[in-house]
Amino acid sequence: MASLADAETHYHDFVVQQTPVTRLCQTHNIITVNGQFPGPTIAARNGDKLVIKVTNRARYNVTLHWHGVRQMRTPWADGPEYVTQCPIQPGASYTYRFTIENQDGTLWWHAHSRWLRATVYGALIIHPKIGVPYPFPKPTKEIPILLGEWWDRDIISVLRQATFTGAAPNVSDAYTINGQPGDLYRCSSKETTKFYVKSGETVLLRIINAALNQELFFTVANHMLTVVGNDATYNKPFATRVVMLGPGQTTNVLLTANQPADRYYMATRAYATAQNAAFDNTTATAILEYDSVPCPSKTGVASRPLMPILPRFNDTATVTAFTSQLRSLPSKNAKVPIQIDENLFFTVGLGLVNCMPGPRCQGPNNTRFAASMNNISFVLPRRTSLLQAYYQNIPGVYTTDFPPVPPVTFDYTGNVSRGLWQPRFGTKLYNLKFGTNVQIVLQDTAIVTTEDHPIHLHGYHFYVVGQGFGNFNPSTDTARFNLIDPPVRNTINVPVGGWAVIRFVADNPGVWLMHCHIDSHLTWGLAMAFLVENGPGEFQSIAAPPPDLPPC
């Protein structure tokens, strides 16, 4: 049996720096870690400790977030700027220290300051403890697949333009697989990502949607994918031809190389649900090549890989068929909360702010885009972080009056009165007592447009006990909850024009952000934060902040 004695401490040095990178015929100076795009892969085992020193040699402030890591008793290491720390300023450094506890599978890390995560991201792979097998046949090899977005201009300039004008940001110019757009884009074929397999072997693909603003389909030509894990938890295996991931989500699939020896495209394209909204309608590819494929002929030109059929950009039926098959494996460490102490109802959606016509009001009908939960558009503090304000009793930084239900009940997915389109702005937290059993109904709205929102909760994973379309109806929908084997996630796609219900136990004290992982929506205010109080015991309380915590 594995024991604490088997646990290791892994040390990493991350240097955030400007690096010239060429894509789509042009060279841009992008922000990277250690000059790599995507960034370095971190590998550890369940129970290991990670010590990651981050030195900022870029021109922007930066923080890093370890997406999906529970951060039990280490909230200072979570990373979102002005939530658990102030950013690491240019020339400064900060060391993140945390332990992986009761988590196996695929997570990832990324910048959590402004939109730097467009290029600052990498895989975080958690293997089982020594002597603990996978709950599926051991694959021959494992391959991280990082899906991303690429802009042909500086991403901070894209953010600044959108913030100034109040309009939607420019969409990306390409999608990427492990940093490369692939054969369907200009000046890209020579660098297309390739993966080599032997006939008959089974490969574990660790798929991560690192895109900034886009949910994505993923598939491999002529190959079935067996889904075995999501967000660093195992699920009951099922076969599918296509996977859909919202930004922030991870999915582990087994692929068996059981097709004729050839070259096959992996492909990813948008799942886009907002009505009349622009999106990047291109397709990124990588190549899965059997090693027994003959060398190119005398011409030196390899045969073109087989192209898969991808769903249409708005194929919600395929998404629903995929997500409805997710079921968790039994776990001795986790039980679905049955008796609920805090029953919360959060609307999630867009809004518009009225303003005087001019260059700063280029949203629909001379407005500015906004977004909110329960009509509160979240505003980050600037003079300190929320966690520091709580720990040090600094007044005037936040209030704890985030509403548990919408201030007004309305037909959430119907024809919404224009009087409800403009949110209020505030830095409001919701207080949870330690050990509370929490249920949250996440309800999409039709304000501006219905849309599928990937909602991420920091510091926790949660049970997805129900999903559906239309307005959540507690008298009928509650009876259909899955309380036996619901999927466990850290990021949940709230269906377009629908709802999702999650449950968790508030067993991790700290200040924890919950937000839409489409970064334009986060910028517009689609977020809130929980303040989870300390528990009664020493190991149920927030530890003192580290001495090198960045100053504000």
Side-chain angles (χ1 to χ4, degrees):
M1 290 293 291
S3 67
L4 289 174
D6 296 319
E8 296 183 26
T9 300
H10 303 268
Y11 295 89
H12 295 271
D13 283 305
F14 276 17
V15 178
V16 180
Q17 61 191 67
Q18 185 170 283
T19 304
V21 171
T22 302
R23 298 288 186 276
L24 308 181
C25 318
Q26 297 189 52
T27 299
H28 295 278
N29 285 316
I30 66 170
I31 307 303
T32 67
V33 166
N34 296 351
Q36 301 176 42
F37 173 62
T41 294
I42 296 174
R45 292 188 181 275
N46 182 9
D48 287 355
K49 184 175 182 179
L50 290 167
V51 179
I52 304 164
K53 182 180 180 181
V54 177
T55 301
N56 185 6
R57 292 187 185 153
R59 63 187 186 274
Y60 304 117
N61 291 345
V62 72
T63 65
L64 294 187
H65 169 54
W66 318 95
H67 186 111
V69 175
R70 292 269 346 248
Q71 299 291 3
M72 300 297 292
R73 302 174 303 283
T74 53
W76 305 105
D78 190 44
E81 68 174 351
Y82 297 111
V83 178
T84 61
Q85 66 171 97
C86 290
I88 307 166
Q89 297 175 15
S93 63
Y94 176 50
T95 301
Y96 293 89
R97 298 175 173 86
F98 55 90
T99 300
I100 307 294
E101 295 188 37
N102 299 318
Q103 292 184 279
D104 292 354
T106 303
L107 296 175
W108 64 301
W109 58 266
H110 60 81
H112 212 300
S113 40
R114 295 194 282 181
W115 288 7
L116 293 180
R117 78 169 181 86
T119 56
V120 179
Y121 62 85
L124 200 172
I125 295 170
I126 307 171
H127 295 285
K129 292 181 178 181
I130 294 172
V132 177
Y134 289 133
F136 48 81
K138 185 177 180 180
T140 309
K141 67 172 72 170
E142 303 182 4
I143 303 174
I145 305 286
L146 292 99
L147 312 178
E149 284 183 278
W150 177 265
W151 275 261
D152 233 351
R153 57 185 292 201
D154 175 62
I155 193 61
I156 298 300
S157 297
V158 176
L159 168 62
R160 285 173 175 163
Q161 179 183 358
T163 303
F164 177 82
T165 64
N170 290 341
V171 300
S172 56
D173 296 287
Y175 299 114
T176 58
I177 299 177
N178 288 8
Q180 294 292 344
D183 290 353
L184 305 185
Y185 298 90
R186 65 187 187 275
C187 305
S188 300
S189 295
K190 289 183 179 179
E191 285 78 30
T192 296
T193 304
K194 294 181 180 179
F195 305 104
Y196 296 93
V197 294
K198 293 182 172 66
S199 291
E201 73 178 355
T202 297
V203 180
L204 178 65
L205 304 181
R206 298 177 176 270
I207 311 166
I208 300 164
N209 185 350
L212 193 72
N213 291 326
Q214 190 60 61
E215 296 174 315
L216 293 168
F217 290 113
F218 175 85
T219 189
V220 183
N222 289 22
H223 289 75
M224 294 298 291
L225 307 173
T226 300
V227 180
V228 294
N230 292 271
D231 293 359
T233 59
Y234 297 117
N235 62 264
K236 294 176 179 177
F238 66 93
T240 182
R241 286 205 175 274
V242 65
V243 173
M244 198 288 286
L245 304 92
Q249 292 185 322
T250 72
T251 299
N252 283 3
V253 301
L254 295 174
L255 178 149
T256 299
N258 56 8
Q259 296 300 302
D262 209 331
R263 305 166 78 237
Y264 300 87
Y265 274 132
M266 298 177 174
T268 187
R269 68 168 293 185
Y271 170 53
T273 58
Q275 297 172 22
N276 302 316
F279 68 97
D280 180 351
N281 196 19
T282 61
T283 301
T285 57
I287 297 172
L288 182 76
E289 182 169 325
Y290 285 62
D291 64 0
S292 54
V293 171
C295 293
S297 63
K298 293 179 181 179
T299 64
V301 178
S303 62
R304 189 168 183 83
L306 297 172
M307 189 71 188
I309 298 173
L310 281 155
R312 283 182 52 80
F313 72 89
N314 58 356
D315 190 349
T316 296
T318 291
V319 174
T320 305
F322 171 71
T323 56
S324 64
Q325 295 182 78
L326 289 170
R327 297 285 187 273
S328 63
L329 288 177
S331 171
K332 63 182 179 182
N333 296 319
K335 292 183 179 179
V336 184
I338 302 299
Q339 299 297 324
I340 300 302
D341 305 309
E342 289 273 7
N343 198 346
L344 308 175
F345 189 106
F346 293 174
T347 55
V348 295
L350 305 183
L352 297 174
V353 176
N354 297 322
C355 54
M356 295 296 292
R360 297 186 64 88
C361 300
Q362 296 183 36
N365 301 314
N366 298 315
T367 61
R368 295 178 60 82
F369 272 107
S372 70
M373 288 185 168
N374 280 358
N375 202 47
I376 302 297
S377 189
F378 191 71
V379 179
L380 286 170
R382 279 293 181 263
R383 60 189 177 97
T384 188
S385 74
L386 296 172
L387 184 59
Q388 286 166 284
Y390 169 62
Y391 190 84
Q392 299 169 3
N393 293 312
I394 301 173
V397 177
Y398 63 84
T399 59
T400 55
D401 57 346
F402 184 87
V405 296
V408 176
T409 301
F410 59 97
D411 181 3
Y412 305 111
T413 56
N415 189 11
V416 183
S417 165
R418 286 296 179 110
L420 299 174
W421 283 36
Q422 179 158 319
R424 294 185 295 133
F425 293 84
T427 309
K428 296 179 181 292
L429 279 56
Y430 191 86
N431 202 84
L432 290 173
K433 294 188 182 303
F434 183 89
T436 299
N437 288 343
V438 183
Q439 174 176 292
I440 309 174
V441 177
L442 297 166
Q443 173 71 60
D444 185 29
T445 78
I447 297 175
V448 183
T449 175
T450 55
E451 187 168 0
D452 190 299
H453 294 282
I455 302 297
H456 173 49
L457 175 58
H458 288 234
Y460 286 86
H461 49 220
F462 47 75
Y463 298 93
V464 184
V465 298
Q467 286 179 278
F469 293 99
N471 298 336
F472 177 74
N473 185 332
S475 61
T476 56
D477 292 327
T478 304
R480 298 199 299 269
F481 282 176
N482 176 7
L483 304 178
I484 306 300
D485 57 358
V488 180
R489 305 214 67 139
N490 62 56
T491 306
I492 177 62
N493 290 300
V494 178
V496 53
W499 50 269
V501 180
I502 66 173
R503 291 185 178 186
F504 62 94
V505 179
D507 59 358
N508 193 12
V511 177
W512 304 106
L513 188 66
M514 186 166 77
H515 64 96
C516 183
H517 219 276
I518 295 173
D519 271 29
S520 59
H521 295 181
L522 173 58
T523 299
W524 292 337
L526 215 172
M528 57 83 62
F530 287 105
L531 196 169
V532 181
E533 298 177 356
N534 286 332
E538 176 186 356
F539 295 106
Q540 298 170 337
S541 302
I542 301 172
D548 64 338
L549 192 70
C552 296

